[in-house]
Amino acid sequence: MFNRVVEAYERIRKVVNRTPVMTSSTLDMMTGAMCFFKCENFQKAGAFKFRGAYNALSQLSPRQKEKGVITHSSGNHAQALALAAKLMDIKAVIVMPENAPKVKVAATKGYGAEVVFCSSSPRDREGVAQALVERFGYALIHPSNDLEIIAGAGTVAFEFLKEVGELDVVFCPVGGGGLLSGTAVAAKGLFPAVKVIGVEPQNADDAYRSLKVGRILPMEDPDTIADGLRSSLGSNTFRIIRENVDEIVTVSEGEIVDAMQFLWERMKLVVEPSGAVSLAGVLSGQVDLGSERVGIIISGGNVDVTDFFIRLRRRIVA
Amino acid sequence: MFNRVVEAYERIRKVVNRTPVMTSSTLDMMTGAMCFFKCENFQKAGAFKFRGAYNALSQLSPRQKEKGVITHSSGNHAQALALAAKLMDIKAVIVMPENAPKVKVAATKGYGAEVVFCSSSPRDREGVAQALVERFGYALIHPSNDLEIIAGAGTVAFEFLKEVGELDVVFCPVGGGGLLSGTAVAAKGLFPAVKVIGVEPQNADDAYRSLKVGRILPMEDPDTIADGLRSSLGSNTFRIIRENVDEIVTVSEGEIVDAMQFLWERMKLVVEPSGAVSLAGVLSGQVDLGSERVGIIISGGNVDVTDFFIRLRRRIVA
């Protein structure tokens, strides 16, 4: 699988943003560690998802490209696939839950994709997408369980560790598990001794529980502010995570918002709740950091700030 | 003055953050230009001001350092001087207007400075500071008109153009004029042909009007959302700007908030209103950009997001 990440990187590196690595002396003081943030909120379409989407689409046959692609996603994969499809002139259909953030729906449509709504149940999403595949012959690009999606996601850690060198531990959010799978494969492929920690919301802790009992325990419609992490592990991500990830820790909703506020106020980074989960894992103190070199993956920055700006405009003196 | 910038950079470069340069393909498409952002919102204490503050303090005599320093500032210079003084173990007293953003007051106190409040009138600020200078012998570090402050501010453009190479035009916000003075001196010192444009809120357009009539026309208590740009030009900044800046354009309050929203939503950068003013100048279309290489200085990111996070916490499911 590591070779697949390296190949994916060769394929996509000229198109994706090489996102910056940031540090915070405040956080280093708080933790006693040297922390490095890989800022995928600065990726095209606002999240790491663009890497996997572009990688997966570039592997399709000419016939598949002609028919178009479909996926189901609460938002970031939707936007990413829509943008990647637009860049390659491929038709994209996105099945989105009705409760997806408006800003993500708008951006997906803005990239020219066709949006089909479904209920917020993961089963319903998959059913709706499957019916359209059967009817129109679209290629289904699963948001996390597809191996090309995982390899693309792995390029985040590949690029990150190529830049900063060996790390002792890397914290990574886990929802469907594509990013965590790719991160574990890439990080350990480069530096076998690096520890990889998955961080998951307590309110959507299917990965934590699945790893514990040794089989996939999907969750129906979990309620967490980290909207990008509501999906459950799939067959491939479960297997890769079980083999390569050292530990999964869970964090409360309050810890997620606290981490997000730190990133906004202290580091001036617009990060969405899902993107702040890995920092929440660091700050939760569940993993002893000593004076280690710590990697923290910020997965995305697509958060709705419409209300904030409506309020700000009310303060304007004409 | 250019040599002073170079010397300042030698003095401070190991302490200041070397802030990243960012780009936006969306903005490049919108403008037809190649735009580069120098992101001083990632500077220590959240704004470019730290550069000048650290430079000025490092030039004080041992006796001055022992007595302590004072300044008046609505916020960013306050925080910057407080932090620089803390790093050098110097006492700092900051005179702040009562209407300064709470988050800036809190940060200033957080760095260990003593805060003295005054009314929001620039004259009152200076009066209060002067009285304390006379009583306690503090060294007064003016937030913009001090030549060491200007030289420190000039290191932003110096570092920026050293990294990206020659630019055709640089947009820079103007309040008291320290950043604009330093930017013009540094940019033209490196590349004499670069055009330097100051951008100012229409609601605080003293620099625009002063340059037009050829003498300083200070403004009493201007009302703009760009709280960092409410102060007026001083003797040094007026002279340097008159000699080195090509044009000053003004932007409306709505244009400032629109630019800020673009930076947050599309570029994932937490930027304060004053920091978005230079982009507002670009987007206002007053300067013909053609296909030029355009530099845009983002001066700071200290904005109060407390309410946003209070609202977000209300959405949490425990």
Side-chain angles (χ1 to χ4, degrees):
Chain A
M1 192 70 203
F2 178 67
N3 284 343
R4 225 160 157 152
V5 174
V6 178
E7 284 160 27
Y9 195 57
E10 280 311 306
R11 210 174 281 133
I12 69 176
R13 57 195 280 272
K14 286 188 181 145
V15 182
V16 301
N17 289 347
R18 187 187 169 84
T19 52
V21 173
M22 312 278 275
T23 58
S24 161
S25 49
T26 306
L27 182 66
D28 288 354
M29 269 194 297
M30 287 162 65
T31 58
M34 267 185 81
C35 297
F36 301 88
F37 290 87
K38 178 64 169 170
C39 298
E40 285 290 305
N41 55 327
F42 295 127
Q43 189 49 264
K44 284 198 168 85
F48 78 96
K49 290 282 190 180
F50 180 73
R51 295 173 182 261
Y54 195 88
N55 185 49
L57 291 195
S58 64
Q59 297 292 89
L60 295 178
S61 70
R63 196 176 143 73
Q64 286 175 310
K65 285 181 180 168
E66 205 179 294
K67 290 214 164 182
V69 294
I70 190 167
T71 197
H72 46 85
S73 158
S74 71
N76 283 340
H77 177 66
Q79 287 178 70
L81 199 76
L83 175 59
K86 186 187 173 191
L87 294 176
M88 290 190 231
D89 205 18
I90 297 172
K91 175 179 178 169
V93 180
I94 318 283
V95 180
M96 297 184 87
E98 294 146 344
N99 67 349
K102 273 180 206 151
V103 65
K104 294 185 177 180
V105 175
T108 305
K109 288 182 180 171
Y111 292 127
E114 187 184 322
V115 172
V116 177
F117 287 102
C118 65
S119 82
S120 64
S121 138
R123 251 177 236 182
D124 187 41
R125 295 192 206 184
E126 295 187 15
V128 170
Q130 199 51 50
L132 291 166
V133 165
E134 279 157 28
R135 187 157 166 207
F136 297 104
Y138 301 138
L140 177 68
I141 312 285
H142 191 281
S144 52
N145 205 44
D146 181 295
L147 290 175
E148 294 301 339
I149 291 289
I150 294 170
T155 66
V156 175
F158 184 77
E159 191 178 84
F160 185 21
L161 276 68
K162 279 276 188 189
E163 179 172 344
V164 300
E166 185 161 8
L167 295 173
D168 297 300
V169 52
V170 175
F171 287 79
C172 173
V174 52
L179 182 61
L180 181 57
S181 297
T183 297
V185 167
K188 298 201 171 186
L190 288 170
F191 302 106
V194 64
K195 264 171 67 180
V196 176
I197 311 283
V199 188
E200 195 173 34
Q202 276 164 16
N203 285 5
D205 66 344
D206 68 285
Y208 176 79
R209 290 183 298 104
S210 299
L211 271 284
K212 211 163 189 177
V213 303
R215 65 190 165 84
I216 300 177
L217 295 175
M219 243 175 133
E220 276 288 315
D221 204 9
D223 198 349
T224 170
I225 198 159
D227 55 84
L229 306 179
R230 287 177 191 148
S231 43
S232 297
L233 295 187
S235 53
N236 289 323
T237 55
F238 176 70
R239 179 178 49 77
I240 296 171
I241 289 171
R242 193 161 56 159
E243 287 167 9
N244 296 281
V245 169
D246 296 273
E247 190 181 348
I248 296 200
V249 300
T250 63
V251 289
S252 71
E253 298 292 292
E255 286 175 317
I256 295 169
V257 178
D258 287 348
M260 185 176 161
Q261 191 164 1
F262 182 91
L263 291 163
W264 287 47
E265 283 188 347
R266 304 302 303 240
M267 295 187 66
K268 314 302 176 190
L269 298 169
V270 175
V271 175
E272 62 185 284
S274 310
V277 162
S278 40
L279 174 60
V282 172
L283 295 175
S284 74
Q286 295 173 74
V287 179
D288 184 26
L289 298 178
S291 56
E292 297 195 332
R293 285 166 56 86
V294 176
I296 302 167
I297 295 179
I298 293 179
S299 51
N302 292 324
V303 55
D304 197 337
V305 292
T306 316
D307 284 353
F308 178 85
F309 281 96
I310 287 172
R311 281 192 185 81
L312 201 62
R313 281 194 180 82
R314 282 196 203 125
R315 284 173 44 199
I316 286 178
V317 181
Chain B
M1 191 71 202
F2 178 67
N3 285 342
R4 225 161 158 152
V5 174
V6 178
E7 284 162 26
Y9 195 56
E10 280 311 306
R11 209 173 281 134
I12 69 176
R13 57 195 282 271
K14 287 190 181 145
V15 182
V16 300
N17 289 347
R18 187 185 169 85
T19 53
V21 173
M22 313 278 276
T23 59
S24 161
S25 49
T26 307
L27 182 67
D28 288 354
M29 270 195 296
M30 286 162 66
T31 58
M34 269 185 80
C35 298
F36 301 88
F37 289 87
K38 178 65 169 170
C39 299
E40 286 290 306
N41 55 326
F42 295 127
Q43 189 49 264
K44 285 199 169 83
F48 78 95
K49 291 282 191 181
F50 180 73
R51 296 173 182 260
Y54 195 88
N55 185 50
L57 291 195
S58 63
Q59 297 291 89
L60 295 178
S61 70
R63 194 176 143 73
Q64 287 175 309
K65 286 181 182 170
E66 203 180 297
K67 290 214 165 182
V69 295
I70 190 167
T71 196
H72 45 86
S73 159
S74 70
N76 282 341
H77 177 66
Q79 287 179 67
L81 199 76
L83 175 59
K86 185 187 173 189
L87 294 176
M88 289 189 231
D89 205 17
I90 296 171
K91 175 179 179 169
V93 180
I94 318 283
V95 179
M96 296 184 88
E98 294 146 345
N99 67 349
K102 274 180 206 151
V103 65
K104 293 184 177 180
V105 175
T108 304
K109 288 182 179 171
Y111 292 128
E114 186 184 323
V115 173
V116 176
F117 287 101
C118 65
S119 83
S120 63
S121 139
R123 251 178 236 181
D124 187 40
R125 296 192 205 182
E126 296 188 13
V128 170
Q130 198 51 50
L132 292 165
V133 165
E134 280 158 28
R135 187 155 165 207
F136 297 104
Y138 301 137
L140 176 69
I141 313 285
H142 191 281
S144 51
N145 204 45
D146 180 296
L147 290 175
E148 294 302 339
I149 291 289
I150 294 170
T155 66
V156 175
F158 184 78
E159 191 178 82
F160 184 22
L161 275 68
K162 279 276 187 189
E163 178 171 345
V164 301
E166 185 160 8
L167 296 172
D168 297 301
V169 51
V170 175
F171 288 79
C172 172
V174 52
L179 182 60
L180 181 57
S181 298
T183 297
V185 167
K188 299 202 170 185
L190 287 170
F191 301 106
V194 65
K195 264 171 67 179
V196 176
I197 312 283
V199 189
E200 194 173 34
Q202 276 163 16
N203 285 6
D205 66 344
D206 66 285
Y208 176 79
R209 291 183 298 105
S210 299
L211 271 284
K212 211 161 188 177
V213 304
R215 67 190 163 85
I216 300 177
L217 296 175
M219 245 176 132
E220 276 288 313
D221 204 10
D223 197 349
T224 171
I225 198 160
D227 55 85
L229 306 179
R230 287 178 191 147
S231 43
S232 298
L233 296 187
S235 53
N236 290 323
T237 56
F238 176 71
R239 179 179 48 77
I240 296 171
I241 289 171
R242 194 160 58 159
E243 287 167 10
N244 295 281
V245 169
D246 295 272
E247 191 181 347
I248 296 199
V249 300
T250 64
V251 290
S252 71
E253 298 292 293
E255 286 174 317
I256 295 169
V257 178
D258 288 347
M260 185 176 161
Q261 190 164 2
F262 182 92
L263 292 163
W264 287 47
E265 283 187 347
R266 305 301 305 238
M267 295 187 67
K268 314 301 178 191
L269 298 170
V270 175
V271 175
E272 61 186 284
S274 309
V277 162
S278 40
L279 174 59
V282 171
L283 295 174
S284 74
Q286 294 172 76
V287 179
D288 184 28
L289 298 178
S291 55
E292 296 194 334
R293 286 167 55 86
V294 176
I296 302 167
I297 295 179
I298 294 179
S299 52
N302 293 325
V303 54
D304 197 337
V305 292
T306 316
D307 284 353
F308 178 85
F309 282 96
I310 287 172
R311 283 193 183 79
L312 202 61
R313 281 194 179 83
R314 282 195 203 126
R315 284 172 44 198
I316 286 178
V317 181

